[in-house]
Amino acid sequence: MIRELTYSQALREALTEEMERDANIILMGEDIGVYGGVFKVTDGLMAKFGEQRVIETPISESGFVGAAVGLAMCGKRPMAELMFMDFAWVAADQIFNQATKMRQMSGGQVSVPMVIRTQQGGGRGNAAQHSQCLEAHFAHIPGIKIALPATPHDAKGLLKQAFREQDPVVVIEHKLLYNTKGDVPENLAPIPFGVAEIKRSGSDVTIISYSRTLLHALEAADSLAKSGISAEVIDLRTIMPLDMETVVKSVRKTNRAVVAHEAHRNAGFGAELAARITEQCFGWLDAPVERVAALDVPIAYSQPLEAHTLPSPEKIIAAAKKVMYKN
Amino acid sequence: MHLAREFERRCEALFQQGLVRGSLHMCIGQEATAAGAALALRDDDLLITNYRGHGHALAKGISPRAAMAEMLGKVTGCCKGKGGSMHWTDVSKGILPANAIVGGGFPTIVGATLAAKMDKLDRVGVLFFGDGATNQGTAHEAMNLAAIWKVPSIFICENNLYSEMTPISKTTPNKDLAERALAYRIPAVIVDGNDVEAMNDAVCNAVQRGRRGDGPTFIEAKTYRTVGHMIGDSQIYRPKDEVELWRTERDPITLCASKLLTRGVTAAELSAIEHDVTAILDDAVQFAKESPYPELDEVFEDVYGK
Ligand SMILES: Cc1ncc(C[n+]2csc(CCOP(=O)(O)OP(=O)(O)O)c2C)c(N)n1
Ligand SMILES: [Mg+2]
């Protein structure tokens, strides 16, 4: 049966089902209890599962993310919610030096099956310290998996999967996706990590994206179609693990690639994608890989400045036309 | 205590021979904190220590063979040679990975003991850290969390008066770091960290509190490392006679031995311990030297679960 849910409803359903399935799942974060989280994703969960399993923490990102590391090493499956991705820096030691390292440092004696849920991105005037997209920083550190759902369907399926992984996972939501709606079947199974989805097939150019920028990519593909350009759109869904197979197959077919994300362009994940596409598809490419990303400046508050900084469907259209040598 | 000291002496020699790499932080002069604490703990009680943790882990029961092989980066090491001196782990003895980030273990021990509390286990978790670590934000976040969650964390501060090369007077307004725990309403005691019995008493009390469900305890152990922060430390930052005083009059092993002699333990019994330790370490070093290095493909193992 097909049902329509918002992204946040889908996330809440995933949390509810997973907590019902596994009594070791514990949620920790700021304001996630009685208030239900500032984006309301955990609304009602404390009432349902109690204060022992939905823990309202002090404003101590290092403290509770690190406590999640300890819980995870001792048999629990904690989820630490970072209210904004930007606060990952505050907990950076616990994420990057602790959570990701324990298994390897101990020669495999311990594991850290914890989930960090957070949201990122601009478009709401939250300015420089509440709008950043930081997935590339996570992707640079081995030992953690990274999911970036673009739709309610994937939000539910990927979050469910996150609780079944054996390693730290960061599930990165986008603040402008919470109210988007989409079909989420009643008994949606967890979505395996490392499986990209071709959201739209095409023959002239491959647009590779994830998270909210995927919606821009689909919009772009619609209008490109009107000007006679057939774009294939790939949603990576997870960037670690990364499904290069789907990307390579598509690019070898279309011979052109645009990578699009909201994170900064410089050393963004798009740079990694462009490098890999070049390595694996060099002989097939008819144009250099184009990157669409945020400008390399802090995200400004003022609406026109913010819009100018962030990617848009128009910028993706321009990039696609560029690799087609059209204007 | 003797095992810890001689283990590190061997490591020092192996370092000089180029067989131990990286940096080697020894706990020489501080062995009583480890021995006193470990005697109060069960195997299933948890321990998180730091880069100066050889004494703690040995006292908690890590195998000297596996520990020495780890020092040499061998596949038979407690962490398959991937952790080295600073990350010894032995889950079967409750030893979670030791931490080389100053203050890094604070939140983790809180989480680990929260898990014990949730599972209604009566195990406690001990965190060892230095005076300098109490200046990290994590220390304060974690003490606050431990207090509000009432978890059985035992925070043992080894106040050896220096963080690396900097004396405590330059870094910390408090002389007694136990004060810091009191700010979070965590019961805190100050102990002579070179007196193994006093250490044991303090940790026994903390363990009882923890097992009873009374929450965390903070123990400030006043102690001193009589060697450099790491090998190669010139120690120009502290007076030689200060070091000498601690090394001669306040040495925890000598103090313990003379106490034992007054209580009827014989000199022969004490030297038997020394003999045993020599045999254990001869065996451990030989085992470590003869063990192979890990296969190169091993780098890809233990990064993610399978
Ligand atoms: C976050 C961090 N900063 C700095 C260092 C380098 N460092 C290693 S040990 C140390 C001193 C720590 O002093 P203290 O906590 O008193 O412990 P001690 O070594 O005296 O036992 C420093 C600064 C580190 N490992 N981690
Ligand atoms: Mg110190």
Side-chain angles (χ1 to χ4, degrees):
Chain A
M1 202 190 89
I2 296 293
R3 295 171 308 156
E4 196 156 79
L5 294 183
T6 64
Y7 192 85
S8 48
Q9 281 169 335
L11 290 164
R12 192 179 317 125
E13 241 184 40
L15 290 173
T16 309
E17 289 174 15
E18 291 303 296
M19 290 180 81
E20 279 166 348
R21 179 185 64 83
D22 184 350
N24 281 321
I25 295 176
I26 295 146
L27 312 187
M28 315 166 89
E30 294 156 13
D31 308 317
I32 67 166
V34 172
Y35 193 78
V38 293
F39 295 94
K40 293 287 177 195
V41 172
T42 55
D43 204 16
L45 295 185
M46 184 189 257
K48 190 170 168 66
F49 294 103
E51 292 181 22
Q52 306 298 316
R53 294 187 65 196
V54 180
I55 303 175
E56 292 171 328
T57 65
I59 306 162
S60 303
E61 283 80 7
S62 302
F64 70 79
V65 171
V69 177
L71 283 161
M73 285 198 294
C74 292
K76 298 291 168 193
R77 281 198 170 263
M79 182 211 84
E81 176 174 320
L82 288 174
M83 194 186 285
F84 283 76
M85 172 57 108
D86 312 71
F87 308 160
W89 294 125
V90 180
D93 175 56
Q94 294 299 323
I95 300 169
F96 298 119
N97 289 328
Q98 310 296 341
T100 63
K101 303 288 192 279
M102 290 295 159
R103 180 192 288 278
Q104 188 264 7
M105 255 168 32
S106 67
Q109 287 189 67
V110 302
S111 61
V112 184
M114 66 182 277
V115 177
I116 297 172
R117 255 195 64 241
T118 188
Q119 58 76 29
Q120 67 180 15
R124 240 184 41 160
N126 288 118
Q129 295 176 334
H130 286 72
S131 304
Q132 298 171 89
C133 291
L134 301 180
E135 66 274 11
H137 299 81
F138 286 82
H140 192 64
I141 308 293
I144 191 163
K145 298 186 177 181
I146 309 159
L148 293 127
T151 64
H153 176 277
D154 289 357
K156 180 169 178 186
L158 292 172
L159 183 55
K160 281 176 77 80
Q161 181 59 30
F163 284 106
R164 294 146 197 255
E165 292 287 329
Q166 303 174 54
D167 294 290
V169 176
V170 59
V171 177
I172 305 175
E173 298 151 15
H174 192 292
K175 55 173 76 60
L176 289 183
L177 289 177
Y178 285 125
N179 293 325
T180 58
K181 287 188 178 158
D183 291 339
V184 183
E186 198 85 56
N187 292 314
L188 179 66
I191 297 173
F193 284 4
V195 184
E197 193 187 8
I198 299 176
K199 301 296 278 194
R200 176 188 175 115
S201 49
S203 51
D204 294 331
V205 53
T206 303
I207 305 173
I208 302 131
S209 191
Y210 51 83
S211 190
R212 179 165 180 255
T213 312
L214 176 86
L215 307 188
H216 292 338
L218 289 170
E219 227 181 291
D222 275 344
S223 43
L224 285 166
K226 286 177 196 137
S227 33
I229 297 173
S230 161
E232 179 143 304
V233 179
I234 296 178
D235 181 2
L236 292 175
R237 305 204 284 197
T238 61
I239 60 168
M240 174 63 231
L242 174 63
D243 180 3
M244 268 315 282
E245 210 182 302
T246 299
V247 172
V248 167
K249 225 173 121 190
S250 171
V251 175
R252 287 184 181 179
K253 177 182 77 178
T254 63
N255 312 111
R256 292 174 167 87
V258 171
V259 296
H261 59 52
E262 195 184 312
H264 297 297
R265 177 184 169 93
N266 185 47
F269 195 72
E272 177 65 30
L273 286 169
R276 290 193 190 213
I277 292 168
T278 307
E279 283 163 0
Q280 296 178 47
C281 307
F282 188 71
W284 283 264
L285 285 174
D286 287 342
V289 180
E290 268 297 305
R291 285 181 286 161
V292 179
L295 301 180
D296 292 316
V297 297
I299 318 263
Y301 164 71
S302 168
Q303 200 278 333
L305 294 183
E306 185 188 41
H308 183 62
T309 303
L310 299 182
S312 61
E314 292 68 37
K315 291 178 190 177
I316 298 173
I317 292 166
K321 288 189 171 164
K322 189 168 168 201
V323 297
M324 299 288 301
Y325 303 108
K326 290 191 177 160
N327 45 10
Chain B
M1 289 195 275
H2 199 66
L3 177 65
R5 179 158 306 177
E6 292 310 311
F7 188 101
E8 291 196 327
R9 289 292 182 211
R10 301 278 181 126
C11 290
E12 197 177 9
L14 291 163
F15 190 96
Q16 251 99 40
Q17 293 165 37
L19 291 173
V20 170
R21 331 173 51 226
S23 48
L24 177 60
H25 308 89
M26 298 191 289
C27 65
I28 290 181
Q30 304 185 177
E31 295 89 346
T33 57
L39 282 172
L41 301 173
R42 303 191 307 233
D43 273 0
D44 69 323
D45 289 324
L46 301 169
L47 167 72
I48 298 180
T49 179
N50 58 16
Y51 50 87
R52 202 182 302 291
H54 301 154
H56 309 139
L58 286 165
K60 188 80 169 60
I62 203 164
S63 137
R65 274 188 164 200
M68 192 60 85
E70 189 62 29
M71 296 303 294
L72 267 58
K74 299 301 182 71
V75 69
T76 51
C78 55
C79 307
K80 302 188 204 164
K82 296 179 187 181
S85 166
M86 303 197 287
H87 304 303
W88 288 6
T89 309
D90 183 349
V91 169
S92 72
K93 298 284 180 187
I95 304 169
L96 295 175
N99 220 295
I101 301 293
V102 173
F106 273 93
T108 326
I109 198 72
V110 173
T113 50
L114 178 59
K117 181 177 172 173
M118 287 172 162
D119 289 341
K120 302 202 164 50
L121 302 172
D122 70 347
R123 62 154 54 148
V124 301
V126 169
L127 179 76
F128 277 100
F129 53 95
D131 45 289
T134 68
N135 290 322
Q136 284 284 27
T138 47
H140 296 269
E141 293 190 19
M143 284 195 282
N144 185 54
L145 291 174
I148 57 171
W149 293 340
K150 242 180 157 189
V151 291
S153 296
I154 302 174
F155 298 103
I156 305 183
C157 176
E158 297 180 302
N159 182 353
N160 61 9
L161 305 176
Y162 294 87
S163 46
E164 281 195 356
M165 295 83 189
T166 309
I168 188 168
S169 57
K170 286 195 188 165
T171 59
T172 314
N174 321 49
K175 253 182 98 177
D176 295 328
L177 299 171
E179 289 172 6
R180 297 195 148 173
L182 295 177
Y184 302 99
R185 305 201 166 194
I186 295 177
V189 290
I190 298 173
V191 192
D192 176 354
N194 284 19
D195 178 343
V196 69
E197 262 188 313
M199 259 324 281
N200 183 249
D201 285 346
V203 180
C204 282
N205 286 336
V207 168
Q208 274 175 18
R209 280 178 38 77
R211 299 214 202 287
R212 271 202 311 263
D214 290 347
T217 305
F218 187 102
I219 297 169
E220 177 183 2
K222 305 275 193 189
T223 186
Y224 197 84
R225 60 168 162 72
T226 52
V227 293
H229 164 71
M230 78 293 175
I231 291 211
D233 175 2
S234 64
Q235 300 189 61
I236 51 165
Y237 51 86
R238 58 184 188 179
K240 284 208 168 66
D241 52 348
E242 179 186 285
V243 183
E244 267 317 289
L245 178 80
W246 283 87
R247 204 178 62 77
T248 52
E249 290 175 28
R250 312 234 42 237
D251 179 63
I253 298 181
T254 316
L255 289 176
C256 176
S258 39
K259 219 186 223 180
L260 288 172
L261 289 171
T262 64
R263 294 197 193 157
V265 175
T266 65
E269 284 172 305
L270 290 181
S271 59
I273 295 178
E274 291 177 19
H275 270 98
D276 287 351
V277 163
T278 305
I280 289 169
L281 292 175
D282 286 347
D283 169 71
V285 170
Q286 193 188 348
F287 171 79
K289 283 186 172 169
E290 286 171 5
S291 291
Y293 285 109
E295 298 288 334
L296 296 186
D297 271 353
E298 184 62 38
V299 289
F300 297 110
E301 299 300 319
D302 306 320
V303 181
Y304 291 95
K306 291 245 158 76

